[in-house]
Amino acid sequence: MSNRKPYVREMTRTWWKDHPFYRFYMVREATVLPLIFFTICLTFGLGSLVKGPEAWAGWLEFMANPVVIILNILALAGSLFHAQTFFSMMPQVMPIKLKGKAVDKKIIVLAQWAAVAAISLFVLVLV
């Protein structure tokens, strides 16, 4: 047995700031924070809807607060950013072939956005 100490590479808490790929990854992951706020607000909204008209009116008043509106806009931006990064990775993760030829990456991404638009339009018309 050797008495040598194993090499342990020092790692600071901000190691990810040194590389653009990891900075982008951390920013992408941080966009989940406004989404958590939106989910909590929506859950409380459903609860207030069950409780009655006074609770519902209070929730609507809370949602009209400018800070809440800004956080919801950030949540929307974060979810669109997540969708964009996911859709752009999709052709690389799961390439689609038709008749032995690879489908163009742009077509796959545009098809995903078209599906999002169609589903959103369907929900808007339904509500």
Side-chain angles (χ1 to χ4, degrees):
M1 202 68 171
S2 173
N3 288 334
R4 295 177 64 190
K5 293 181 183 179
Y7 173 73
V8 179
R9 183 175 162 191
E10 289 185 33
M11 185 150 311
T12 64
R13 289 176 43 193
T14 58
W15 62 268
W16 52 272
K17 290 182 178 180
D18 297 333
H19 195 280
F21 176 81
Y22 295 117
R23 278 195 310 265
F24 177 77
Y25 176 80
M26 294 299 277
V27 167
R28 181 180 186 273
E29 293 303 311
T31 59
V32 78
L33 297 174
L35 291 172
I36 291 171
F37 174 77
F38 173 76
T39 304
I40 291 170
C41 284
L42 192 60
T43 304
F44 276 101
L46 290 173
S48 66
L49 185 61
V50 171
K51 289 179 183 176
E54 295 92 21
W56 177 250
W59 183 76
L60 287 177
E61 186 179 324
F62 170 75
M63 293 302 287
N65 186 327
V67 174
V68 175
I69 292 172
I70 290 170
L71 287 174
N72 283 327
I73 290 170
L74 288 173
L76 176 63
S79 64
L80 290 174
F81 180 64
H82 268 274
Q84 188 274 327
T85 56
F86 176 77
F87 289 170
S88 66
M89 286 188 298
M90 180 73 170
Q92 297 165 348
V93 174
M94 194 171 94
I96 298 174
K97 292 186 178 184
L98 291 175
K99 297 180 182 177
K101 287 186 174 182
V103 177
D104 187 24
K105 294 177 182 181
K106 290 180 182 178
I107 293 174
I108 296 171
V109 173
L110 289 175
Q112 291 171 332
W113 281 113
V116 167
I119 292 168
S120 298
L121 184 63
F122 177 74
V123 170
L124 284 173
V125 169
L126 188 67
V127 174

